[in-house]
Amino acid sequence: MPISATDLILDRVHFGEDFAQDAPRAEQQVLAATQKPVAAATLGATVTGTPAWKQFPTWYQIATADRMIPVAAERAMAARAAGRARTVELGTGHAAMVSRPVHTAQLIERAATGR
């Protein structure tokens, strides 16, 4: 897939340490090699409609060792759900679903059952 000047992609050399620092090295390399570019325009895009978190109970997993999204920003996004969010904090990096799949699955199960 060709990458345009308006697409963003993480440097493969630093991908593991920035995106999935607590995942096994082999998995970091696979993630780096298979990442898809993101259109830079999406970062400043205006969201239309009502977000689901304003209408439904929400579960939010904060990765306290995240190097992609500052922890303070993650906490602010969870708090923005105005008391609707059930927040779980994990001492993990950005790719918790890779490095901590059991914990991530447990959060999904809690959300699905309303616990």
Side-chain angles (χ1 to χ4, degrees), residues 57-62 84-90 101-115:
T58 304
W59 284 257
Y60 195 103
Q61 181 172 286
I62 295 171
R84 293 180 178 271
R86 295 182 185 170
T87 304
V88 174
E89 294 199 11
L90 285 179
V102 171
H103 291 93
T104 303
Q106 288 171 342
L107 177 63
I108 294 167
E109 287 172 354
R110 288 176 55 198
T113 60
R115 294 182 298 168

Side-chain angles (χ1 to χ4, degrees), residues 15-16 20 23-34 98:
F15 183 94
R25 181 76 179 132
E27 194 141 19
Q28 291 176 357
Q29 291 172 330
V30 170
L31 291 169
T34 59
V98 174

Side-chain angles (χ1 to χ4, degrees), residues 7-65:
D7 288 337
L8 304 174
I9 191 163
L10 296 175
D11 181 331
R12 289 182 179 174
V13 173
H14 301 288
F15 183 94
E17 67 192 61
D18 293 332
F19 189 83
Q21 75 269 22
D22 45 359
R25 181 76 179 132
E27 194 141 19
Q28 291 176 357
Q29 291 172 330
V30 170
L31 291 169
T34 59
Q35 69 177 304
K36 303 291 184 233
V38 174
T42 61
L43 297 177
T46 301
V47 177
T48 59
T50 304
W53 56 262
K54 285 190 172 185
Q55 302 174 54
F56 305 105
T58 304
W59 284 257
Y60 195 103
Q61 181 172 286
I62 295 171
T64 60

Side-chain angles (χ1 to χ4, degrees), residues 27 72 74 76 99-100 103:
E27 194 141 19
E74 290 191 41
S99 62
R100 303 281 290 276
H103 291 93

